[in-house]
Amino acid sequence: MSRDFAVCRGRGQPTCVVDGDTIRYRGERIRLLDIDTPEIFSPQCASEREWGRRAMYRLVELLNQGSFEIVAGFGNDRDVYGRQLRRLVRNGNSLGDMLVEEGLARRWTGMRGGWCG
């Protein structure tokens, strides 16, 4: 699937990027299950917010570069916030892995880590 993604500007947008590891697609909230990115809504420091914004805008770019698949089937279907847990894949490559390779995310290990200092 491919859509025109932008940063979410309110709850009414059915398709948009919430942050570096969460999107809305056709009204469904989707959490990229293979990565963790810095927080932008409740950061522990200013640099975390800045890196979180960079990850968010880069995810917008990656999503808009062409078709991708939303892939399920990796254990838990939803997280504690009700978001679908999925991988976003283009040509067999995880978009989350691309963010990790660019230093904008880290692999999800099941635990949140700090992004400050």
Side-chain angles (χ1 to χ4, degrees), residues 65-78:
Q65 286 178 352
S67 295
F68 62 92
E69 297 174 72
I70 298 174
V71 182
F74 299 94
N76 292 338
D77 187 58
R78 293 188 182 265

Side-chain angles (χ1 to χ4, degrees), residues 43-62:
Q44 299 298 311
C45 61
S47 65
E48 180 178 10
R49 180 180 309 227
E50 176 57 31
W51 282 103
R53 291 177 56 78
R54 289 180 189 185
M56 175 181 64
Y57 285 110
R58 180 62 176 134
L59 182 57
V60 169
E61 290 176 3
L62 289 170

Side-chain angles (χ1 to χ4, degrees), residues 56-97:
M56 175 181 64
Y57 285 110
R58 180 62 176 134
L59 182 57
V60 169
E61 290 176 3
L62 289 170
L63 292 170
N64 287 326
Q65 286 178 352
S67 295
F68 62 92
E69 297 174 72
I70 298 174
V71 182
F74 299 94
N76 292 338
D77 187 58
R78 293 188 182 265
D79 69 6
V80 296
Y81 303 105
R83 299 175 295 188
Q84 289 183 355
L85 296 171
R86 303 290 188 264
R87 289 181 71 216
L88 305 181
V89 178
R90 177 180 295 123
N91 300 324
N93 299 309
S94 163
L95 300 186
D97 285 349

Side-chain angles (χ1 to χ4, degrees), residues 11 16 22 46 49 95:
R11 295 190 184 272
C16 58
T22 306
R49 180 180 309 227
L95 300 186

